[in-house]
């Protein structure tokens, strides 16, 4: 999906016209049309405004994430899986100014998995208790 496709999809999901989006971005409706047709790319200022207007991550627009992170319901396990995957592959990560080794990454991911398992069990216990 191109950047223009993503902008168009988010605009339509928000039930907004190109003119309405243009007003919110402080640009012309024809500029919005060009973005949606991939004839022009928004600069960083407009890209930031698009993120604010649609409540999405910049990662979604640049292709680092497949999901827009809008107000849609998302299972926490999906967010967790995406985060741990990114943590495992992200170059140049540091902790207190010291580069993370692969072993450090693995320890962080393991710790997160333990926390997620505890939270999942507590949620399950609470759900069963309410029944």
């Amino acid at each position: 999906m191109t950047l223009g496709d993503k902008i168009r999809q988010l605009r339509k999901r928000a039930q907004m016209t190109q003119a309405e989006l243009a007003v919110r971005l402080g640009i012309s409706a024809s500029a919005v049309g060009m973005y949606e047709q991939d004839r022009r790319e928004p600069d960083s200022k407009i890209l930031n405004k698009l993120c604010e207007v649609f409540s999405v991550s910049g990662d979604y627009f640049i292709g680092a994430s497949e999901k827009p992170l809008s107000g849609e319901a998302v299972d926490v396990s999906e967010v967790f899986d995406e985060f741990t995957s990114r943590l495992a592959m992200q170059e140049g990560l540091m902790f207190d100014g010291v580069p993370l080794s692969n072993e450090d990454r693995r320890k962080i991911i393991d710790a997160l998995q333990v926390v997620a398992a505890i939270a999942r069990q507590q949620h399950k216990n609470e759900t069963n208790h309410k029944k």
Side-chain angles (χ1 to χ4, degrees), residues 46-77:
I46 298 299
L47 201 55
N48 281 333
K49 285 184 180 181
L50 284 164
C51 291
E52 289 174 19
V53 167
F54 295 122
S55 299
V56 298
S57 146
D59 286 350
Y60 174 68
F61 282 124
I62 63 171
S65 172
E66 293 294 316
K67 299 191 178 173
L69 298 177
S70 66
E72 296 177 20
V74 177
D75 193 276
V76 73
S77 63

Side-chain angles (χ1 to χ4, degrees), residues 76 80 107-123:
V76 73
F80 178 77
K107 287 177 184 176
I108 293 169
I109 290 169
D110 289 346
L112 289 171
Q113 288 173 336
V114 168
V115 169
I118 291 169
R120 192 175 293 117
Q121 186 61 46
Q122 285 178 336
H123 182 265

Side-chain angles (χ1 to χ4, degrees), residues 65-114:
S65 172
E66 293 294 316
K67 299 191 178 173
L69 298 177
S70 66
E72 296 177 20
V74 177
D75 193 276
V76 73
S77 63
E78 290 180 42
V79 175
F80 178 77
D81 290 345
E82 187 175 324
F83 176 74
T84 54
S85 173
R86 186 166 180 187
L87 179 64
M89 294 186 286
Q90 181 71 41
E91 295 291 325
L93 283 179
M94 294 189 174
F95 189 77
D96 288 336
V98 178
L100 290 179
S101 68
N102 287 336
E103 185 177 333
D104 293 334
R105 291 171 197 255
R106 185 75 247 150
K107 287 177 184 176
I108 293 169
I109 290 169
D110 289 346
L112 289 171
Q113 288 173 336
V114 168

Side-chain angles (χ1 to χ4, degrees), residues 14-30:
Q15 299 178 344
M16 200 180 294
T17 66
Q18 286 182 346
E20 290 168 331
L21 178 57
V23 168
R24 303 236 357 229
L25 298 175
I27 59 175
S28 69
S30 65

